[in-house]
Amino acid sequence: MGMDHRCLVLSGRLLDGQDPAAVHERLAAAFGMEMAGFRERVFSRAPLIIRRGLEADAAEAQAAQLRGMGVEADVWPDGDRL
């Protein structure tokens, strides 16, 4: 895995003014998961790497999509030490 790869990280925090239930629902739908399982498997474990080995452009685009759904997302270098 080259140093130019990125990973997509979900901090577990919502953007200001967002309704948690609505955000969780949007995200669960986007990930094709049941609401309960999503909250348990994703938000309770945040910060969580949800995608690895992405090109920088793809990582930024996906982070922007997540922010569009109301959740904080970060792009980090995808190294071994995280």
Side-chain angles (χ1 to χ4, degrees), residues 16-73:
D16 286 346
Q18 294 289 334
D19 171 52
V23 171
H24 289 170
E25 208 167 312
R26 282 198 288 270
L27 288 169
F31 285 99
M33 291 168 70
E34 294 293 320
M35 264 295 280
F38 180 81
R39 205 174 264 152
E40 213 165 87
R41 286 163 57 188
V42 179
F43 274 90
S44 66
R45 289 166 54 203
L48 184 69
I49 295 172
I50 51 176
R51 295 292 302 278
R52 298 194 71 153
L54 295 166
E55 296 297 324
D57 289 352
E60 289 296 348
Q62 291 185 26
Q65 276 184 313
L66 286 168
R67 292 182 196 119
M69 287 186 252
V71 75
E72 195 176 79

